[in-house]
Amino acid sequence: MILLRHGQSEFNLHFGATRRDPGIIDPRLTDLGHAQAAEAAQQLTGQGIERIIVSPYTRALQTARPVARALNLPINVDPIVRERYAFACDIGSPRPVLERDWPDHDFGLIEETWWPLEEEPEASIISRAARFRLGLAERHDWANTLVVSHWGFILSLTGQSVANGQWLRCDPTEPAPERVVWQA
């Protein structure tokens, strides 16, 4: 599979400058984030992608949009690939709002409030990533699947910290990382 971290969000911009939570709920991409998404779309063309799985956060949906257009593929929304809930940006938009803002996507399989209501322990996101890894490894198309996700989820899957707009390959049939270090 290919894992793509969403482009720079309003939260990333402010948090990167201050290292303080700016209190932005479900932030949108910045202009740089949109450029990173467009660049990823160009880079991912020709990579054999046949399926796109995306987190329900706005920043991930915005990142996936140009990729899906470039590849002429639908977007599959799945909250299992969401970020670890630890900051204000990890409060998502309720399903009715997502359905209004993204009418071309199917949100029918997610709860109205699909993010946790309290901070998610590290062990929980690592367990969630392991469940996703196992489920994807059982699919015949895992090698042709793009997952548009977040720093913490990608770190939990791979043990690697990736920058906004960066992508990497991951083989879900290989063992998960033995240790995950939670440092940005």
Side-chain angles (χ1 to χ4, degrees):
M1 77 179 125
I2 296 175
L3 301 167
L4 169 62
R5 182 178 175 195
H6 64 80
Q8 182 192 60
S9 72
E10 296 161 337
F11 174 89
N12 297 134
L13 176 66
H14 294 289
F15 186 79
T18 66
R19 303 309 286 174
R20 289 187 159 146
D21 187 339
I24 304 169
I25 294 173
D26 197 15
R28 303 181 71 74
L29 294 181
T30 62
D31 289 343
L32 174 59
H34 284 290
Q36 290 168 331
E39 175 71 18
Q42 287 182 328
Q43 292 174 359
L44 293 169
T45 300
Q47 296 293 321
I49 297 168
E50 298 173 359
R51 185 165 161 250
I52 302 174
I53 300 172
V54 180
S55 157
Y57 287 111
T58 297
R59 57 198 182 270
L61 292 163
Q62 288 181 310
T63 300
R65 180 186 292 157
V67 179
R69 282 185 184 151
L71 300 175
N72 196 29
L73 290 173
I75 289 176
N76 300 289
V77 179
D78 192 338
I80 196 170
V81 302
R82 71 182 185 275
E83 180 59 286
R84 173 183 176 218
Y85 183 91
F87 296 101
C89 65
D90 304 323
I91 297 170
S93 294
R95 187 182 72 230
V97 172
L98 293 171
E99 290 171 334
R100 180 198 69 211
D101 292 349
W102 302 90
D104 295 340
H105 302 337
D106 181 4
F107 296 98
L109 297 177
I110 67 173
E111 302 286 328
E112 183 165 339
T113 302
W114 48 266
W115 61 94
L117 299 178
E118 57 187 37
E119 185 170 344
E120 184 178 17
E122 293 170 7
S124 176
I125 189 172
I126 291 169
S127 174
R128 181 162 44 90
R131 286 192 316 274
F132 178 75
R133 173 187 288 275
L134 287 172
L136 196 60
E138 294 174 355
R139 291 185 57 102
H140 73 283
D141 63 351
W142 69 260
N144 304 99
T145 298
L146 170 67
V147 179
V148 182
S149 188
H150 307 269
W151 179 82
F153 189 78
I154 294 170
L155 178 70
S156 297
L157 274 175
T158 67
Q160 297 180 50
S161 177
V162 295
N164 291 116
Q166 182 180 356
W167 60 273
L168 56 87
R169 290 193 178 275
C170 175
D171 183 340
T173 66
E174 293 180 354
E178 290 184 25
R179 187 167 174 257
V180 174
V181 178
W182 290 91
Q183 295 176 334

